[in-house]
Amino acid sequence: NWGMGDFADLLDVIESAAPLGCALIGLNPLHALMPADPGHGSPYSPSSRQFLNVLYIAIPRVPEFAVCPAVQAYLQGEGKEELAALRSTSNVDYASVAAIKLRCLRVLYERFRIDHLQQSTARATGFRTFVTQGGEALRLHAVFDALQAHLRSESATYGGWPGWPEPFRDPRSSAVSQFVLEHTDDVEFHLYLQWLAAGQLDEAQHLAQQKGMALGLYGDVAVGVNGGGSETWSNPQLYVTNAGIGAPPDPLALKGQDWGIPPQNPRELVRQGYQPFIDLLRFNMAHVAALRLDHVMALFRQWWVPRGFIATEGAYVHYPLDDLMSILALESHRHRCLVIGEDLGTVPDAVRLAMHRYAVAHYKVMLFEKEPDGHFKSPAVYERRSLAAVSTHDLPPFRGWWEGIDIEIASRLSLYPDASTRERVLAARDQDRRLFMQALVGTGLWYWHQQEGLPPASHALVRAAHVYLALSTAQLAVVQIEDLAGMKDPVNVPGTHLEYPNWQRKVADTQAEIFGREEVREMLHALSIARTGRNPN
């Protein structure tokens, strides 16, 4: 790829995973970020959740690429060295990736304009239909991206829209209208990018179905958006800008969390007839067969942290749960899209009851699934209507958890309130490892005695952990690709921003290397056997 994962990588993973028994491919949120400000790389702080991150476009798969000598000559010349440098880094360099991709995509757009739009070809008709169906929301998003790119070309200090010159902060102002008149091609360029991204994502889901995957793509919807992005710019009255969504202290983040994303005003959401929520679901469900709602408790209440206060000083604000769940169920039925609610952390009884009533699947993380006495739950007692995983993107892969990599990182970044807390966490982790070994022994997946030392992290231990999960009664069980690759470091550390390179760490190996390993293929075969309820050992 061109320095970061793209939709061609997704096609490759589908090609490799489908024949090995995989029923679904889980994705991080694919929401639109800000192409003109690519340093903001978190998929959970997007510009808009109704559109796509255009940096995922696989440029060689764009039809205009095959008939564009300029881009091909660039790739054979100076671009060859630039791309090699981007591929060689251990972390994604979003700014450099964006610079190269957007430059080439602009040339491809000019080719598209000449060859298709000016000739009114069938391909041009497809594009215009997409734009028409996208409506005002798509138009405003493209205007935002074009306007931000224009302003940043004048001054790099122009980030999100609250810092723009006053006339441009209102999308319906005369200044914005004048900008659109003077920069029609720039706006159309960003419409073209959204069209390409949507087409390539749909191609991936179509391939998954062709390959016989029971579900195919499993998408993810972030709980909120970046306060400086297009979603808040397009509908500012919906958002409360002097507060941020977060979470009270819990075992994962002992100081609480402030995610820095503005909450929606529940009264304004009702006043707008829930249309923003409906549009959000319709766009995301159109591309996938299963959808995860990050922090599903947000449909009932959200932890608001007033600006200038710390996360522990927030308060809960309530939302119309029954109305939102009814809409969710209706759109799920219309799109034939399974819904998983990420219900980790403090989950009120009202949310549990609503998930059961509306058939929203739970999100079960094996490392958190414990009995009241601290023992790990048996695979036989997992919630049937759930998706189960060993770990999450907010924790290290299994090897890293086993070796306490997350504890080392938290200590280094001063995320523990004091030294005694760190010692308690270390002791709890040691106890968890021992209890987990007992769980493996009890399930017939490992031979170990409590008098023995703990085994070192190994592929065999990773395999055993995932077979344990696959034996569960959970309807769906997933394995992170980092665990297949044997990685240790987390991709995201909650409670950090610049202190850790969140969402930048690359997967250590190519998908061909990962799925080509005999031990990986054997492990996935074992998981397929375990999914039928049989112990593969």
Side-chain angles (χ1 to χ4, degrees):
N1 57 45
W2 289 29
M4 63 173 279
D6 60 27
F7 289 132
D9 289 312
L10 178 55
L11 294 174
D12 288 342
V13 170
I14 292 169
E15 292 275 11
S16 295
L20 299 176
C22 295
L24 75 164
I25 303 289
L27 305 169
N28 56 269
L30 303 178
H31 306 320
L33 301 185
M34 290 182 266
D37 193 7
H40 292 282
S42 171
Y44 289 97
S45 181
S47 176
S48 173
R49 295 171 295 173
Q50 290 188 41
F51 304 104
L52 295 168
N53 182 351
V54 298
L55 294 185
Y56 289 134
I57 295 170
I59 292 178
R61 296 190 67 84
V62 176
E64 284 70 47
F65 177 82
V67 293
C68 188
V71 173
Q72 293 180 24
Y74 163 74
L75 293 180
Q76 294 303 316
E78 61 177 306
K80 192 172 186 178
E81 191 172 315
E82 291 178 357
L83 291 184
L86 289 177
R87 291 173 181 137
S88 68
T89 62
S90 57
N91 289 335
V92 175
D93 180 353
Y94 287 111
S96 297
V97 170
I100 289 180
K101 281 201 162 189
L102 293 175
R103 186 164 69 243
C104 290
L105 284 166
R106 187 73 194 215
V107 177
L108 298 184
Y109 161 71
E110 296 298 336
R111 185 82 262 162
F112 171 72
R113 195 162 57 85
I114 294 168
D115 291 352
H116 297 282
L117 291 181
Q118 293 180 4
Q119 307 301 322
S120 295
T121 65
R123 184 161 166 77
T125 300
F127 168 70
R128 290 183 176 124
T129 300
F130 173 83
V131 172
T132 300
Q133 291 174 343
E136 180 68 357
L138 174 59
R139 188 191 74 85
L140 284 177
H141 179 72
V143 171
F144 176 91
D145 280 351
L147 184 53
Q148 186 181 41
H150 172 74
L151 292 173
R152 284 185 70 84
S153 70
E154 294 185 339
S155 173
T157 61
Y158 288 131
W161 66 267
W164 291 358
E166 182 70 36
F168 295 119
R169 296 178 195 172
D170 180 358
R172 292 157 186 86
S173 69
S174 59
V176 172
S177 297
Q178 186 63 32
F179 171 84
V180 173
L181 286 174
E182 295 173 356
H183 298 83
T184 303
D185 287 353
D186 293 335
V187 175
E188 190 173 69
F189 168 60
H190 287 282
L191 293 171
Y192 172 72
L193 296 185
Q194 286 299 321
W195 181 53
L196 293 180
Q200 291 193 354
L201 180 57
D202 286 342
E203 181 186 359
Q205 174 64 359
H206 181 65
L207 177 65
Q209 293 172 334
Q210 273 189 325
K211 295 294 179 180
M213 299 183 75
L215 286 170
L217 300 184
Y218 156 48
D220 198 349
V221 173
V223 68
V225 293
N226 189 304
S230 80
E231 192 169 317
T232 57
W233 181 72
S234 301
N235 192 2
Q237 61 271 28
L238 180 60
Y239 290 89
V240 179
T241 57
N242 59 353
I245 305 172
D250 61 28
L252 190 60
L254 298 173
K255 293 183 178 181
Q257 299 180 61
D258 180 356
W259 303 322
I261 50 180
Q264 292 183 349
N265 183 332
R267 291 180 179 175
E268 180 63 23
L269 184 62
V270 173
R271 194 191 71 78
Q272 295 188 20
Y274 299 109
Q275 198 60 47
F277 184 62
I278 295 168
D279 292 342
L280 170 70
L281 295 177
R282 287 179 178 173
F283 175 83
N284 286 278
M285 288 180 174
H287 299 285
V288 298
L291 194 66
R292 172 187 181 271
L293 295 186
D294 186 45
H295 196 66
V296 71
M297 291 81 77
L299 301 182
F300 173 63
R301 68 184 186 187
Q302 295 178 18
W303 184 257
W304 287 21
V305 182
R307 184 179 296 171
F309 289 77
I310 60 175
T312 56
E313 297 174 319
Y316 281 118
V317 175
H318 286 256
Y319 289 73
L321 177 65
D322 284 341
D323 287 356
L324 294 173
M325 278 287 190
S326 297
I327 293 167
L328 179 63
L330 177 60
E331 295 304 327
S332 168
H333 179 75
R334 284 174 168 169
H335 291 86
R336 297 183 58 81
C337 182
L338 178 69
V339 176
I340 297 101
E342 188 263 296
D343 53 347
L344 302 178
T346 305
V347 185
D349 288 340
V351 173
R352 298 186 195 280
L353 290 171
M355 292 178 73
H356 175 75
R357 177 183 176 189
Y358 291 96
V360 175
H362 299 273
Y363 186 71
K364 299 298 183 182
V365 176
M366 187 187 72
L367 298 179
F368 298 152
E369 285 297 292
K370 298 178 183 178
E371 301 291 356
D373 61 3
H375 285 79
F376 284 88
K377 285 186 177 179
S378 163
V381 299
Y382 270 61
E383 187 93 30
R384 170 63 182 163
R385 185 180 286 127
S386 69
L387 180 144
V390 169
S391 183
T392 80
H393 60 262
D394 287 335
L395 292 172
F398 184 79
R399 283 185 185 230
W401 178 84
W402 190 260
E403 296 182 358
I405 297 296
D406 54 324
I407 300 175
E408 292 178 15
I409 292 173
S411 298
R412 187 170 72 246
L413 300 180
S414 301
L415 297 181
Y416 295 124
D418 47 52
S420 62
T421 300
R422 176 182 177 276
E423 293 305 313
R424 286 198 300 272
V425 171
L426 281 169
R429 180 62 55 83
D430 184 68
Q431 177 70 359
D432 277 349
R433 285 191 289 253
R434 293 184 173 278
L435 290 174
F436 186 67
M437 291 307 301
Q438 291 180 25
L440 292 183
V441 170
T443 319
L445 296 173
W446 204 273
Y447 294 103
W448 178 80
H449 296 287
Q450 295 189 41
Q451 296 79 10
E452 300 177 39
L454 291 169
S458 64
H459 173 78
L461 191 60
V462 172
R463 177 190 182 278
H466 285 85
V467 170
Y468 185 90
L469 186 81
L471 286 169
S472 76
T473 47
Q475 190 174 24
L476 298 168
V478 295
V479 53
Q480 290 177 295
I481 200 165
E482 292 93 337
D483 282 320
L484 296 181
M487 297 176 67
K488 298 180 181 181
D489 291 334
V491 71
N492 182 59
V493 175
T496 65
H497 177 44
L498 299 177
E499 307 93 320
Y500 186 84
N502 293 321
W503 304 106
Q504 297 173 48
R505 184 220 64 197
K506 296 180 181 179
V507 176
D509 305 305
T510 68
Q511 63 83 25
E513 291 168 336
I514 294 170
F515 289 100
R517 291 178 188 142
E518 184 55 38
E519 63 181 17
V520 168
R521 300 174 71 84
E522 188 282 327
M523 174 176 161
L524 293 178
H525 178 64
L527 298 186
S528 295
I529 294 173
R531 287 274 73 200
T532 67
R534 295 178 292 136
N535 190 325
N537 284 9

